[in-house]
Amino acid sequence: LDNVTTMLLIAPVTIDMCGILGVDPRPYLISEVILSNIGGTATLIGDPPNIIIGSSFDEVGFVDFIINIMPCILLAGIPISLVLMLWIYKPYLTYKEMVTLDSEKLKRTYPIYDEPRLLIAGTTTFFVILLFFLHPFHHKDTAWLALIAAFLTISFTNPHDVQDVLRNHVEWDTLLFFAGLFVLVEVCAAMGLLQAIGGVLVGIIKAQDEAQQLPIAITLILWVSAVTSAFLDNIPYTATMIPIVKILAAELPETLPIKTLAWALSFGACLGGNGTLLGASANIVTAGIATNRGFNISFMNFFLSRNAGYDCHYCHR
């Protein structure tokens, strides 16, 4: 699942569980969304920027993300992040003894009310993920595979339930945002703005020795993406950078492999989204869910997590 969907599912449950335990859910929510952003970097479908990258570059597929990015995330990103989260929130997590969790109460609170439909949806999801892994053999677009699976699942569902989902649960504003965004990016490309930005980067890279061109290109894309994505949502940033990366690879095809540039863009945009509350859509979604349940996560709470942990610690003592 992508990180936005993950937080839509996990955040409400986290808030309810923290309510049962009698603790403030905000440190847990911030930790979960940061780890979801990091974990989502590992696959093509885990983070919206990766989805954009995978759909924009024919050279990059689902298995390529598994081979090239997942090992870095599993071996370095997640362990380091877990240690940082434990260090940041240690005073909060150890200030008092939690109440015993009643698992039976949780089962009664969150029952599975439609097992047959859950089985159908789970089976469909399993085969979709399997087809994602088999992309090098069938070469079908992952978007079409997911769309066909969605229609198959809907065909076994009550039409009235489908109407309710389409009205109340489909993120139409997000879909319209993507549509408008890609139109805007194409307009910028037609006006020559992206070509001008790409020309500046190509000029900087061409001025270097041939042996240094690839390291400099990776460094520029990685760090510019990380810093920019921390303060601007990484989705529009990635959509804007795609044509620029293509220009770089077309201008210097021998020294700048497009796959390598795509990995640098993925790492910078996805991980940079953890910098601030505005950096990733999952951050904003999680903050919205928390606010609706009476727990405000402000820009500074997210940006200065260490201080947020101490504030929560003291307000509960």
Side-chain angles (χ1 to χ4, degrees):
L1 296 177
D2 69 274
N3 52 2
V4 177
T5 305
T6 299
M7 293 312 301
L8 283 171
L9 295 173
I10 291 180
V13 177
T14 300
I15 294 172
D16 288 338
M17 290 184 66
C18 288
I20 295 172
L21 295 171
V23 297
D24 192 319
R26 284 173 288 189
Y28 300 94
L29 291 173
I30 293 175
S31 301
E32 286 171 356
V33 73
I34 289 175
L35 289 172
S36 74
N37 289 335
I38 295 171
T41 310
T43 68
L44 184 147
I45 59 173
D47 209 346
N50 284 357
I51 298 174
I52 296 173
I53 291 170
S55 61
S56 301
F57 298 121
D58 294 334
E59 299 84 356
V60 176
F62 186 85
V63 177
D64 295 313
F65 274 91
I66 299 294
I67 295 173
N68 292 279
I69 293 188
M70 182 175 280
C72 301
I73 297 299
L74 294 179
L75 295 177
I78 292 179
I80 292 173
S81 302
L82 284 171
V83 172
L84 286 175
M85 289 299 101
L86 291 174
W87 176 73
I88 289 171
Y89 292 119
K90 183 180 178 181
Y92 173 81
L93 297 174
T94 59
Y95 77 93
K96 70 174 184 178
E97 184 178 353
M98 292 184 180
V99 299
T100 304
L101 182 63
D102 188 351
S103 59
E104 293 301 322
K105 182 179 179 180
L106 285 177
K107 290 179 182 179
R108 293 192 300 270
T109 306
Y110 303 101
I112 297 174
Y113 60 88
D114 197 336
E115 291 188 4
R117 237 177 275 177
L118 176 63
L119 179 62
I120 292 171
T123 304
T124 306
T125 303
F126 169 78
F127 280 107
V128 168
I129 294 174
L130 180 63
L131 289 172
F132 284 168
F133 276 102
L134 296 176
H135 180 266
F137 301 98
H138 57 69
H139 300 290
K140 303 298 181 184
D141 195 335
T142 52
W144 283 109
L145 295 175
L147 190 61
I148 292 170
F151 278 115
L152 286 175
T153 305
I154 290 174
S155 65
F156 291 99
T157 304
N158 188 309
H160 297 292
D161 293 337
V162 174
Q163 292 175 11
D164 177 65
V165 169
L166 291 177
R167 281 197 303 264
N168 302 318
H169 299 287
V170 174
E171 297 288 335
W172 293 112
D173 52 346
T174 303
L175 295 176
L176 291 173
F177 167 74
F178 273 116
L181 171 66
F182 288 125
V183 171
L184 179 61
V185 170
E186 194 61 32
V187 169
C188 291
M191 294 175 63
L193 176 61
L194 301 183
Q195 186 74 30
I197 296 173
V200 172
L201 292 177
V202 168
I204 295 173
I205 295 170
K206 277 185 174 180
Q208 312 302 319
D209 294 335
E210 187 170 316
Q212 299 297 320
Q213 288 179 353
L214 182 57
I216 290 174
I218 293 172
T219 303
L220 278 174
I221 293 174
L222 182 64
W223 284 103
V224 170
S225 299
V227 174
T228 306
S229 295
F231 295 94
L232 300 176
D233 193 293
N234 55 12
I235 296 174
Y237 172 79
T238 303
T240 305
M241 281 296 295
I242 291 294
I244 296 174
V245 170
K246 289 181 177 179
I247 292 170
L248 289 173
E251 289 284 340
L252 299 168
E254 296 181 357
T255 56
L256 302 181
I258 196 166
K259 273 191 175 183
T260 305
L261 300 183
W263 304 143
L265 177 60
S266 174
F267 272 116
C270 294
L271 300 182
N274 282 326
T276 69
L277 183 63
L278 304 177
S281 298
N283 303 352
I284 300 172
V285 167
T286 302
I289 293 173
T291 301
N292 290 336
R293 302 290 289 272
F295 298 96
N296 183 49
I297 298 178
S298 68
F299 182 91
M300 295 307 296
N301 286 149
F302 196 97
F303 188 67
L304 302 174
S305 299
R306 179 74 176 178
N307 292 340
Y310 276 111
D311 292 342
C312 293
H313 168 56
Y314 285 119
C315 73
H316 279 80
R317 289 189 67 172

